[in-house]
Amino acid sequence: MERLHRNKISTEKIFILFALLLLAGAMLFGLLGALQYLIPGLLKSRLSFERVRPLHVSSVVFWIIMATMGTAISFLQEHTGKKLYSAQLLGIQLWIFILTIICILTSYCLGIFGGREYWEFPPLLSIPVVIGWILFLINFIKSAGSLKNQPVYVWMWLTGIVFFLFTYIESNLWVLPYFRNNVVNDMTIQWKSYGSMVGSWNMLIYGSSIFLMDKISNNKTYSHSSIAFALYFTGLFNLMFNWGHHIYTLPTQPYVKNISYLVSMTELVILGRIIYNWKHSVSAAKKLFHETAYRFLLAADLWIFLTLLLAIAMSVPAINVYTHGTHITVAHTMGATIGINSFLLLAMAFDILNEGCRSLEPYKKMLNRGILTANISLLIFWLSLIAAGIIKARWQMSGLQLPFSVMMQALRPWFIIFFLSGIALTTGFLLIIYPLVKNQLVCHLKWTIKRRKSSIRTKAALAME
Amino acid sequence: MILDKRKLAMAAGLVLAFLFYSFHLYTSLPAGHKSATAMADRGKLLWQDYNCNACYQIYGLGGYLGPDLTNAYSRRGPEYIKAFLKNGTDIMPNFHLADDDISELEAYLRDVDASGKADPRTFTINRDGTIAQE
Ligand code: HEM
């Protein structure tokens, strides 16, 4: 019975599998968007850029959110050693999210928008998102128990869940005319919420990756240590107050910008720690390199370093004034969501989905090839966006400004590299996603057949009696 | 090891500071109560309905296929904007907007234009790394 049960896809795994499908879809929409940069007017009447961009970005955002929920719930149960408070609540949460995401993507295809950056769907669809998230919060609190003697990752999960709820609701305040009626007020609150929201999903993801690192290295000292909590509080401080760098050029309150500028410099502590820990990471890499999940974590480490360097530079207003409004911002956003968030989530997905009726061992070569391809192509992808951004920054600052279309023409060679490396990146990711999804589906199929056979046998036995 | 009590106190302190900062901002919004006209507000909602921000930026934020439109109104003038909205371009679809819609979108862009300058060339860079606009 135990063995039979291992084949069944659990609710947590469905969160992750659905997330992986969203990731695959996101990359295909991303490629289409990049092609629209190269072939102006492509699919203009059916699927123009204002539909493709949200299809890409929302698929990416929901890949992160679904995978984050699935991994946190899964690891929480491993941490407590107990079942979740309510499996039923989790099931409801899953279906609320799946149905809402399908409605959101369909609304984009039909050209129905709410039109806010990153959350471009009609605001009514935010209601189920909030309800689903509240169910997540209830289940988490009831399952985790008190905060007494808890490792840092439990604090991080709780922080991430609470702050995501707060900032998501905050990002919808625009529906009230009081907040919407002035563009400067509206954008201040909008980017306040987005900055902290990204911080809150990072809390959840980093929390899970600390759990995973403890598990792989079989050592729990770090997650209870003072340094872990010191870094957690630094992260929390940044989550709360370091969002103003998005709006340095907006004529909003100067203190918003100054607070952000000052707070962002505390990130240097995190950067310093990465450099200080380098030797330790290298020796751990030697020991654990055979672990596929660890390879993802290692790749994410490198991307955390690169992204943080860029982020700290962009937090200085004098530099931000050049990079803002250029593809350097896109390089930063995609570098963080692909290089950090996606690699960390794939490490966790691998760890969770590896437990099933079939081993992932036969796919090791394919997975390693995928990891290598994704990393090399991501570096080229990232650099091409930075190069395009530098040209645009120079154009923005030049006294004699050429027309926008002429500047875009000058970016074309970099967009070609962006598109080609995007194909390689997508291929790398698909090489990773394919075995993860296939293995689970085969296991589930086996489980369904076995269950059917055993129920036929029971019925036959009953009939014989 | 940091004691649980100390951790809770630190977290509570930070949360209180965050709530104070948030509600302070909500109640003393940066631009005060200078509201857009009803027409500009309808224009803003239309801007969102057509998801214009996916291609254009306002104050440098948005998609990057098209240019920043914060000060397009004063730089290009209303007639130029109307022509764009009426016909679309090689890249931008023609949304077949009604004349009223076009006027509302134009009112929105006028309102955005009046709110400030987004051109990075208008900023001066200070020695401490901050920036300022006259
Ligand atoms: C794991 C894979 C990916 C993730 C997580 C991701 C994430 C993102 C995010 C967050 C944005 C919004 C950027 C911003 O507003 O600053 C974005 C925009 C974009 N992405 Fe991706 N992306 C991925 C893969 C790709 C691929 C493979 C391509 C194709 C080459 C691509 C093409 C684009 C394009 C064209 C935009 C719009 C840029 C604009 O605003 O003009 N993405 N992506």
Side-chain angles (χ1 to χ4, degrees):
Chain A
M1 185 64 197
E2 186 48 36
R3 167 116 198 119
L4 189 69
H5 216 73
R6 268 187 353 138
N7 301 352
K8 188 186 170 205
I9 303 187
S10 63
T11 313
E12 302 85 289
K13 284 185 181 171
I14 302 178
F15 269 99
I16 298 172
L17 289 172
F18 187 72
L20 288 170
L21 287 183
L22 286 173
L23 173 62
M27 286 185 300
L28 298 179
F29 290 129
L31 283 178
L32 181 55
L35 206 55
Q36 286 175 327
Y37 261 90
L38 292 176
I39 310 172
L42 177 73
L43 293 179
K44 190 173 107 175
S45 55
R46 299 240 166 120
L47 209 58
S48 45
F49 193 74
E50 90 282 3
R51 297 184 189 198
V52 173
R53 190 180 191 271
L55 279 168
H56 173 60
V57 175
S58 287
S59 303
V60 161
V61 169
F62 282 110
W63 135 246
I64 293 174
I65 289 177
M66 291 296 278
T68 301
M69 291 190 291
T71 48
I73 287 288
S74 205
F75 288 162
L76 174 69
Q77 293 172 85
E78 281 189 49
H79 166 68
T80 59
K82 284 191 253 163
K83 280 206 162 16
L84 205 62
Y85 163 70
S86 168
Q88 205 177 10
L89 225 51
L90 185 69
I92 299 173
Q93 179 192 338
L94 171 75
W95 284 106
I96 287 180
F97 272 99
I98 290 184
L99 293 177
T100 310
I101 293 168
I102 292 172
C103 287
I104 287 171
L105 299 181
T106 310
S107 78
Y108 295 155
C109 292
L110 298 175
I112 304 168
F113 301 108
R116 305 288 287 186
E117 176 92 351
Y118 302 134
W119 306 101
E120 282 118 320
F121 47 84
L124 266 182
L125 287 170
S126 281
I127 296 172
V129 172
V130 169
I131 295 174
W133 201 266
I134 291 174
L135 299 186
F136 182 31
L137 177 66
I138 296 172
N139 232 342
F140 183 88
I141 292 178
K142 292 276 193 186
S143 308
S146 89
L147 276 176
K148 206 171 154 212
N149 242 342
Q150 292 282 15
V152 74
Y153 47 80
V154 174
W155 285 72
M156 294 171 85
W157 286 332
L158 184 62
T159 307
I161 298 174
V162 171
F163 275 88
F164 183 88
L165 186 61
F166 182 94
T167 52
Y168 188 77
I169 293 172
E170 189 179 46
S171 75
N172 277 286
L173 286 178
W174 68 270
V175 295
L176 307 174
Y178 172 80
F179 289 99
R180 185 182 67 226
N181 249 337
N182 178 293
V183 64
V184 175
N185 293 343
D186 182 22
M187 287 183 78
T188 303
I189 303 299
Q190 181 184 13
W191 288 91
K192 171 186 184 306
S193 67
Y194 290 174
S196 300
M197 194 187 296
V198 171
S200 42
W201 79 49
N202 278 335
M203 272 284 172
L204 276 156
I205 298 174
Y206 291 152
S208 295
S209 55
I210 293 176
F211 173 87
L212 181 61
M213 201 55 216
D214 272 11
K215 184 175 159 184
I216 296 178
S217 61
N218 212 0
N219 182 352
K220 279 195 185 311
T221 43
Y222 175 74
S223 52
H224 285 277
S225 68
S226 299
I227 181 79
F229 277 92
L231 289 176
Y232 157 71
F233 281 115
T234 312
L236 181 58
F237 188 47
N238 273 277
L239 176 164
M240 291 171 166
F241 304 107
N242 177 8
W243 45 265
H245 59 270
H246 295 289
I247 47 171
Y248 280 151
T249 60
L250 187 73
T252 187
Q253 311 275 35
Y255 68 77
V256 164
K257 304 175 192 181
N258 295 336
I259 289 177
S260 176
Y261 181 23
L262 281 175
V263 173
S264 63
M265 291 305 124
T266 60
E267 287 183 322
L268 285 168
V269 176
I270 302 173
L271 192 69
R273 180 166 154 89
I274 296 177
I275 296 169
Y276 178 76
N277 255 15
W278 208 260
K279 229 172 94 188
H280 172 76
S281 306
V282 171
S283 65
K286 277 189 193 144
K287 254 193 277 165
L288 300 168
F289 201 65
H290 61 280
E291 296 262 8
T292 307
Y294 184 75
R295 291 188 184 198
F296 288 113
L297 293 180
L298 194 68
D301 241 16
L302 173 76
W303 283 100
I304 289 174
F305 179 72
L306 291 176
T307 307
L308 206 55
L309 266 186
L310 191 59
I312 293 174
M314 286 164 67
S315 301
V316 179
I319 299 178
N320 185 284
V321 75
Y322 288 91
T323 61
H324 189 67
T326 73
H327 294 85
I328 297 177
T329 315
V330 189
H332 173 248
T333 323
M334 280 212 256
T337 48
I338 305 174
I340 307 176
N341 296 156
S342 298
F343 281 140
L344 289 178
L345 288 168
L346 282 172
M348 301 165 208
F350 181 85
D351 180 74
I352 294 166
L353 299 180
N354 202 13
E355 291 165 7
C357 67
R358 278 157 57 98
S359 158
L360 280 165
E361 207 49 39
Y363 297 105
K364 208 160 179 177
K365 232 184 189 167
M366 187 192 262
L367 284 163
N368 287 339
R369 239 177 246 161
I371 296 174
L372 194 69
T373 312
N375 272 290
I376 294 174
S377 51
L378 178 57
L379 189 64
I380 301 170
F381 186 81
W382 190 71
L383 290 173
S384 66
L385 283 170
I386 292 183
I390 291 172
I391 299 176
K392 189 171 178 201
R394 289 181 57 180
W395 171 81
Q396 280 187 165
M397 283 296 193
S398 69
L400 206 131
Q401 219 167 56
L402 294 167
F404 179 80
S405 56
V406 175
M407 181 275 298
M408 284 297 268
Q409 201 56 33
L411 301 190
R412 206 176 147 77
W414 297 108
F415 289 153
I416 294 174
I417 299 176
F418 170 64
F419 176 64
L420 294 178
S421 54
I423 293 179
L425 180 63
T426 306
T427 312
F429 269 112
L430 290 179
L431 286 176
I432 299 164
I433 297 172
Y434 171 74
L436 293 181
V437 175
K438 185 184 161 193
N439 244 21
Q440 290 301 313
L441 294 184
V442 170
C443 280
H444 191 70
L445 206 68
K446 274 189 183 167
W447 177 78
T448 316
I449 293 169
K450 256 190 193 169
R451 201 178 57 163
R452 205 160 281 168
K453 271 189 188 159
S454 84
S455 94
I456 290 171
R457 241 180 270 137
T458 323
K459 270 188 201 151
L462 282 175
M464 296 267 280
E465 273 173 21
Chain B
M1 273 256 289
I2 307 176
L3 294 174
D4 274 343
K5 258 190 194 161
R6 201 168 289 174
K7 286 178 211 159
L8 279 174
M10 273 162 77
L14 279 174
V15 169
L16 282 178
F18 174 74
L19 289 176
F20 174 78
Y21 190 27
S22 302
F23 285 93
H24 174 71
L25 263 176
Y26 301 157
T27 50
S28 59
L29 289 167
H33 297 289
K34 265 186 271 161
S35 302
T37 59
M39 194 162 169
D41 188 43
R42 282 199 298 276
K44 180 189 179 77
L45 293 175
L46 277 173
W47 170 269
Q48 292 187 188
D49 283 348
Y50 288 99
N51 204 19
C52 307
N53 229 75
C55 300
Y56 297 106
Q57 305 110 65
I58 299 288
Y59 285 107
L61 296 160
Y64 295 103
L65 194 62
D68 188 297
L69 294 187
T70 316
N71 302 115
Y73 189 87
S74 54
R75 256 190 313 164
R76 302 291 197 174
E79 290 314 315
Y80 185 86
I81 291 172
K82 266 188 193 151
F84 254 83
L85 292 174
K86 203 145 192 91
N87 308 309
T89 67
D90 283 350
I91 305 174
M92 177 175 138
N94 179 349
F95 293 112
H96 304 288
L97 296 163
D99 286 346
D100 282 353
D101 293 349
I102 292 180
S103 305
E104 284 163 6
L105 278 164
E106 188 200 316
Y108 171 61
L109 288 176
R110 185 173 355 134
D111 183 60
V112 172
D113 182 48
S115 70
K117 286 198 180 81
D119 186 339
R121 291 171 301 179
T122 59
F123 287 86
T124 45
I125 296 174
N126 302 321
R127 287 171 72 98
D128 58 5
T130 58
I131 52 174
Q133 215 170 20
E134 75 286 356

